[in-house]
């Protein structure tokens, strides 16, 4: 499979990604907590402003290593960034264990 075709598949799979949305929500929540502008927050994280803005788009597909790096630089657990969406919605996705416990 060609490299270009693999990238298209990865981009397609990332569309509507719950984890990407959670990461974006978590990162934005951290920025708002800090009271910094997007530019200043990107600078604090040690990434270019353009990279921060790209992370907030639907085209973003950050690796786990990059998420860990951002979390480390922000001084938070990486899981905090990925949990943000579920926490802000006040609910979580049903788990198969929940269905078995109810029976």
């Amino acid at each position: 499979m060609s490299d270009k075709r693999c990238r298209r598949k990865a981009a397609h799979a990332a569309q509507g990604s719950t984890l990407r949305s959670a990461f974006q929500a978590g990162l934005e929540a951290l920025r708002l907590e800090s009271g910094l502008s997007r530019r200043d927050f990107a600078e604090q994280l040690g990434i270019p402003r353009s990279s921060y803005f790209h992370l907030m788009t639907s085209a973003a597909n950050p690796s786990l290593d990059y998420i860990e790096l951002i979390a480390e630089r922000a001084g938070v657990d990486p899981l905090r960034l990925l949990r943000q969406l579920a926490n802000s919605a006040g609910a979580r996705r049903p788990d198969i264990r929940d269905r078995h416990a109810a029976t």
Side-chain angles (χ1 to χ4, degrees), residues 26-100:
L27 194 57
E28 189 65 4
L30 282 178
R31 184 190 71 78
L32 293 171
E33 287 173 20
S34 73
L36 296 173
S37 68
R38 288 179 178 93
R39 177 179 297 196
D40 291 339
F41 190 62
E43 188 175 300
Q44 179 183 348
L45 294 175
I47 62 173
R49 182 180 61 94
S50 60
S51 294
Y52 182 85
F53 281 97
H54 177 74
L55 285 173
M56 296 298 145
T57 68
S58 61
N61 191 14
S63 68
L64 292 175
D65 288 338
Y66 195 68
I67 291 171
E68 285 182 333
L69 175 69
I70 295 295
E72 180 182 310
R73 290 179 177 180
V76 299
D77 186 303
L79 293 177
R80 179 179 174 195
L81 295 175
L82 299 175
R83 284 190 201 117
Q84 189 65 37
L85 191 65
N87 290 342
S88 66
R92 63 181 179 86
R93 289 174 41 181
D95 190 290
I96 194 165
R97 293 173 294 207
D98 296 336
R99 284 186 238 139
H100 290 294

Side-chain angles (χ1 to χ4, degrees), residues 2-20:
S2 74
D3 191 42
K4 187 174 183 179
R5 188 170 172 198
C6 286
R7 282 189 298 241
R8 274 187 285 181
K9 279 188 167 190
H12 178 72
Q15 288 178 350
S17 168
T18 302
L19 287 175
R20 185 191 64 238

